[in-house]
Amino acid sequence: DRRMLPADERAAILADINRIFADIMIDAKKSSTKVNSQELFLCMLSVIHLPTAVMADCLNVGESTIRTRKTRLKNKMPEELFDLFFGNHP
């Protein structure tokens, strides 16, 4: 197991993300009702430019799962919303 974060730290990070980005996550969910909470967390982790390996560790999944979820999200949400979360913006 290559996990870097203990479970309590992982939970604290996700709680902080939920608290800090609550309004954005609510708006994203309204724009794309097919998106689940794990996917919303992935969007927020991308917004803060975490590497894929760190996102995977935070969400307690493998890196390939992150890539798969990102691809699925592209089909689940409006293009402009996806670009906002995953686009290559400075």
Side-chain angles (χ1 to χ4, degrees):
D1 190 6
R2 298 177 44 207
R3 299 282 176 236
M4 298 179 283
L5 296 172
D8 60 333
E9 288 182 29
R10 184 178 302 115
I13 289 168
L14 294 179
D16 285 345
I17 293 289
N18 195 42
R19 181 180 46 80
I20 294 165
F21 294 106
D23 291 341
I24 296 169
M25 291 169 61
I26 289 168
D27 288 345
K29 183 66 175 171
K30 287 178 184 175
S31 295
S32 184
T33 58
K34 296 177 184 178
V35 176
N36 65 41
S37 61
Q38 276 265 320
E39 292 167 332
L40 288 172
F41 280 119
L42 173 59
C43 292
M44 297 307 104
L45 294 172
S46 177
V47 165
I48 59 174
H49 304 288
L50 290 181
T52 301
V54 177
M55 288 184 205
D57 199 28
C58 287
L59 296 174
N60 202 28
V61 297
E63 288 183 53
S64 63
T65 301
I66 295 296
R67 288 186 290 275
T68 300
R69 286 185 183 170
K70 185 177 171 184
T71 300
R72 289 182 184 158
L73 277 168
K74 190 169 188 155
N75 297 321
K76 285 185 175 185
M77 61 178 45
E79 183 178 353
E80 60 276 356
L81 190 58
F82 181 85
D83 287 344
L84 179 67
F85 296 140
F86 296 101
N88 293 324
H89 305 289

